[in-house]
Amino acid sequence: MGMEGIGARVTRKEDKRFLTGKGRYTDDMVVPGMKHAFFVRSPHAHARITGIDASVALGMPGVIAVLEGKQLQADGIGNLICGWMVHSKDGTPMKMGAWRPLAIDTVRYVGDAVAIVVADSAAEARDAAEAVMVDYDELPAVTTSLAALGADAPQIHPEAPGNLIFDWQIGDPAATDAAIAAAAHVIEIDILNNRLSPNPMEPRATLGIYDEAEDHFTCYTTSQNPHVARLVMSAFYNVAPENKLRVIAPDVGGGFGSKIYIYPEEIVCLWASKKTGVPVKWTSDRTEAFLTDAHGRDHVSTVKMAFDKDHRITGLKVDTVANLGAYMSLFSSAVPTYLYATLLSGQYAIPAIHANVRTVYTNTVPVDAYRGAGRPEATYLLERTIETAARELGISPVELRRKNFIRTFPYQTPVIMTYDAGDYEASLSAAMQAADWDGFPARRAQSEARGMKRGIGMSCYIEACGIAPSQAVGSLGAGVGLWESAEVRVNAVGTIEVLTGSHSHGQGHETTFAQLVADRLGVPIASVNIVHGDTDKVQMGMGTYGSRSGAVGMSAVVKALDKVEMKAKKIAAHLMEADEADIVIENGDVKVAGTDKSLPWFQVALAAYTAHNLPSGMEPGLKESAFYDPSNFTFPAGCYIAEVEIDPETGKTEILQFVAADDFGNIINPMIVEGQVHGGLAQGIGQALLEEVRYDENNGQLLTASYMDYAMPRADDLPSFSLSHQNTPCPGNPLGIKGCGEAGAIGSPPALMNAITDAIGINTLSMPATPLKVWSALQAVQMRQAAE
Amino acid sequence: MAKVTLTVNGRAMAGECDDRTLLVHFIRDRLGLTGTHVGCDTTQCGACVVHMDGKSVKSCSILAVQASGSTVTTIEGLAVQGELHPVQAAFNQHHGLQCGFCTPGMVMTAVDMIARHGGQLDEATVRQELEGNICRCTGYHNIVKAVLSANEQMHGAQRQAAE
Ligand code: FES
Ligand code: FES
């Protein structure tokens, strides 16, 4: 592997600037003449706008402009869109209501943007925004999905009667019903997946710059995918044609999905910059982030799992209602469908599956992908169900899982996916060993002796990453292809720039992508620069989400490197008068195998650019580009085990150990992969123990709009983690990578909830398992026991 | 308007700002030191931690005028002549940062923590002391490792010298 090549624990190249305060995030950008924006937002969850009066605000100190939705519409700026078409089972297309960047006649959630104030300073913009008088006629609001489907629920969009966006299904309903009818045992359970706020620590920000001389726009933005932002802003929002719009996402301080989407603020600041003639910057505060960043999860499901008399699963029936909030965000339709229901087979051979999904509008912030996106919901549902089944059937949860594992590959599930490779037994055994599963009864007895409740739980997850084969997702309704692009530029002195459409928001691409080049060409990673996040530098890209940068982004780099290597070998063969087939590249030298003939890498590069002596007909230069379109999803999988102790006096759960055993395929940098798992686990544990977005069901006010009210996991809420890998290379891409960014958040919630319910001795408990909920559940168990 | 004079990272600086300007905004917008970040509005996240007269403070919860006359060290002032402070080096070595947004505050908090505890740090103490700093990326695992390692390096050397 070499000191810096694939598989090496190289410390990160990007760290130094972050550690010395030299990171450059969007809010750090300052350009001459820059002014500041603040958005006037709806204080109501649902209301008609009857008038906007900005006259007082316009007279306030520093105020340059107050702009509203009608002006934006008059200038031809389009509505926000959802980029993935899903059809209901009756064949009708999803019912998308209009989402205007600035609301004109109706506001549909608390935080819906109504106007933008531009002023000399951020504080002056904020002051003036308070003086913008908006008259509202309040309308009744609804915040939960089930209530929104009720007969008397307020109607949120005229396009979607009954607030139903689509009623979709996958799998074979008849075969599944037959399996359930014929089953020896049927386990039924209701599953709630709590609503979360992604909360990257860097709040969203954008800086719109209009250059009149060139009739050109530049948008700095906190984006995981600047090229997609440019594409959508050009093609759908009519901000500017692509050649007149440059999108730059500099350092991005975390995203977890929430920075995939194009939000109103980017569009409005660009437009406002042209309107006012000054660059316009907006930076979200944290409350605004809670109010307006797309949320995640929020599923309500009922499940039936059928077993034969030997405890083999014969069928799975799922009915899910997903809350998509007040508007359809960019990928919102795909999350509770193709990213969710296609994973409902889990690690198990289930002959018949049927899932029905209804998505609904509510008066809440839009819901879209958050770390895992659909796969955590599928895993939680399945792993809580199988655990409950084991308890009700009176057999070990380990045996029940083992009995039903898929063991031969490729495996075609009844819900589209073809699993290419895996070894579920390996991660299960590794996790059990690491957790000393067999020693648990003794540990439980020790806890009991101290008056404490101890529990253990596991979850075996699978997910689909490396999204995605363009043709396949196109046939399922995606509006874009999900390939990735790369360009490898070898400079005349042999140093290298890799341009990639992937974009790091913490994943360390500047290091891992350089490791790939070091591995191939034997050059030090210090001589490799990664260029990303700027549409003027990188031609095209689809960005970073869905754990795709390794499996898809790096595969594109491999393809470009193949071409560079081929050309370099041709040049070297010519220079050394050898056969091209005998040329090898090793440790930074280009050699003729089996001889002592050798050229340093930089001389081959130099020869490509001096072009004094190239093979006849060859173009000068050494620069190649490639697009890579994956042939399949990748399927990371693993087994997580949580062991907890609950204090029955307080209901507080302490995590005694958390074990993760993952199969990520081949790994470029184990240190970075471990970091990804740690972060994912923290978010999954946060979901299980702490986090929940809550709206007041009566008036639609967001109750959890700050870190005082929304419980973020802190250092002392979490244990240190125990990790291991049991990797089976992915056969689908040249590097054998599966992806690791989301697994932690996918596999951990059910493991923890299985442990907590094991400790309490109940089957159902909804996330987050707060001390109050746990304590109440313990009281109920005690009362029941006392009554018996 | 208020006049604010500060010694920041060893240099005397003066500027005018609104009475209501927070120290963090003064540092970022007036002094152009953008390593200090703003991650919340409620004094919870610690992205804004700097040292003021030798103590770690959340610069989002102090007015610039209140800080006037004091000596402030920001993340930009920690490395000496390009040489990373042991805490910075430990964060690099143990992968204690991902997106880097919480990192300046984490590092400034850790430096103060290590100084206050005189080498007596264990995992539980570090986790408790980090209560005021939120990181969404790392799950804290490697941050805790980095702080303990830097503590060991800084105080282990002292202990050895004393022995
Ligand atoms: S910005 Fe100071 S604590 Fe969050
Ligand atoms: S490294 Fe991203 S928030 Fe801590």
Side-chain angles (χ1 to χ4, degrees), chain A residues 12 15 18-21 25 27-28 123 127 197-199 201-202 253-254 256 285-287 370 505-506 671 675-676 678-679 682-683 691 707-708 712-716 718-721, chain B residues 20 28 34-35 37-42 44-45 75-76 82 84 88 91-93 95 97-101 103-104 107 123 127-128 130-132 134-142:
Chain A
R12 298 199 319 171
D15 281 2
F18 294 130
L19 283 164
T20 53
Y25 302 88
D27 187 46
D28 301 339
D127 288 345
S197 177
N199 269 300
M201 291 315 296
E202 179 206 23
F256 317 112
D285 63 31
R286 184 56 58 185
T287 294
Y370 165 55
H505 44 290
M671 179 193 82
Q676 286 293 313
H678 296 154
Q683 290 180 6
E691 297 177 44
Y707 288 150
M708 316 272 277
M712 289 283 277
R714 318 249 175 166
D716 60 353
L718 299 170
S720 281
F721 308 113
Chain B
R20 61 178 167 178
R28 286 181 57 80
T34 55
H37 296 150
V38 181
C40 72
D41 341 309
T42 51
Q44 306 279 305
C45 77
I75 188 69
E76 288 91 343
L84 291 183
Q88 291 170 312
F91 268 67
N92 171 246
Q93 202 57 40
H95 190 31
L97 64 154
Q98 290 183 27
C99 79
F101 196 80
T103 309
V107 168
E123 176 173 343
R127 285 184 180 276
Q128 233 158 36
L130 287 177
E131 207 262 348
I134 303 178
C135 173
R136 192 55 151 172
C137 297
T138 64
Y140 306 98
H141 182 108
N142 287 340

Side-chain angles (χ1 to χ4, degrees), chain A residues 144 218 760:
Chain A
T144 67
T218 301
I760 303 175

Side-chain angles (χ1 to χ4, degrees), chain A residues 599-676:
Chain A
L599 285 171
W601 167 253
F602 80 87
Q603 270 189 18
V604 178
L606 191 62
Y609 287 94
T610 60
H612 295 162
N613 184 14
L614 290 176
S616 86
M618 180 183 274
E619 283 179 21
L622 195 50
K623 175 189 104 155
E624 301 286 351
S625 62
F627 282 71
Y628 174 78
D629 199 356
S631 56
N632 190 2
F633 290 87
T634 66
F635 298 96
C639 177
Y640 291 175
I641 293 175
E643 187 167 335
V644 300
E645 193 174 66
I646 295 170
D647 183 344
E649 298 287 314
T650 62
K652 180 147 171 44
T653 299
E654 189 188 345
I655 303 171
L656 300 174
Q657 62 164 339
F658 202 104
V659 170
D662 293 291
D663 174 359
F664 294 138
N666 292 337
I667 284 175
I668 305 289
N669 185 330
M671 179 193 82
I672 286 178
V673 167
E674 286 159 16
Q676 286 293 313

